[in-house]
Amino acid sequence: MSTGKKLYEGKAKIVYATENDREYLTYFKDDATAFNAQKKGSIENKGSINCTISSALLELLGNKGIKTHFLDQKSEREMLVKAVEIIPLEVVVRNIAAGSLCKQTGLPEGQKLAFPLVEFYLKNDDLGDPLLTIDRLTLLNIATPEQISLLKEKALKINQYLIEFFASCDITLVDFKLEFGLDQEGTILLADEISPDTCRLWDVLEQDTEKRVLDKDRFRRDLGKVESAYQQVQKRVLTQIEKLKNN
Ligand code: ADP
Ligand code: MG
């Protein structure tokens, strides 16, 4: 596919313009970062795996009526998407306590939460992606109160679909991060990616608290076998998608 001008290079993807100003091509890299890019490395084949998993999951959500930026997976590492203006928020949904939630609240890792927790973090690496309050969100004019409640509603719906889908892959969806954007009409679309980089995924078939980890925590915590964990997720996701298509 002929690529247009490079518009932006992030930590995991490069965004290219296309002949159509309403569409971008995102290229998924193998680069891996953690702890606000203080830890850097690369995971072999990650770009291809994450592009494939994200494409499959975004298409699945699209079929459920969730409006997403996904148009087509053009190659192993390239996804054609609708161009949006990204809302500078990381919308995090948590089902089980892990990561910064444990650090900041003292909840033990692995504790099931009484309800899915939706959190908004400012997407700003220089500030370390701080957790926002609803009032701070409004104060910063990042989203209107109506948009905020819409984002929360969408995030919870997506969580329900993804919990169910991952469960059918024998994977527990612990938590995940979403990004949303506005298209030219001002419609909110689910954008970016849904992958082992952006989700915590635990293998249901594995009790050991390290062996069960199938996501970027393997890289963050130097648990090894990072690529094979990502591959395992890809394999289960694609197998399950095939089954759904044949039913
Ligand atoms: P980051 O380093 O911020 O995590 P990534 O490398 O993951 O960035 O992605 C590159 C950029 O592409 C990010 O700023 C992301 O928000 C943006 N992006 C994702 N989907 C779209 C889209 N449909 N339109 C415009 N920008 C997008
Ligand atoms: Mg990213």
Side-chain angles (χ1 to χ4, degrees), residues 13 177 179 192-193:
K13 301 184 290 295
K177 182 267 299 182
E179 290 181 27
D192 207 49
E193 62 177 281

Side-chain angles (χ1 to χ4, degrees), residues 8 10-13 15 69 81-82 84 86 123 179 192:
Y8 179 75
K11 299 184 292 291
K13 301 184 290 295
V15 182
H69 72 158
V81 299
K82 288 182 192 161
V84 296
I86 293 285
K123 191 173 157 54
E179 290 181 27
D192 207 49

Side-chain angles (χ1 to χ4, degrees), residues 7-15 22-24 26-29 33 68-70 79-87 89-90 123 125 129 177 179-182 189-193 197-198:
L7 297 177
Y8 179 75
E9 176 156 4
K11 299 184 292 291
K13 301 184 290 295
I14 306 172
V15 182
R22 291 178 156 250
E23 298 177 359
Y24 290 158
T26 53
Y27 176 91
F28 285 65
K29 306 188 285 181
T33 61
T68 86
H69 72 158
F70 177 76
M79 192 195 289
L80 187 69
V81 299
K82 288 182 192 161
V84 296
E85 192 186 322
I86 293 285
I87 301 169
L89 288 177
E90 303 208 331
K123 191 173 157 54
D125 286 340
D129 299 336
K177 182 267 299 182
E179 290 181 27
F180 292 90
L182 300 171
L189 303 184
L190 173 62
D192 207 49
E193 62 177 281
D197 269 11
T198 63

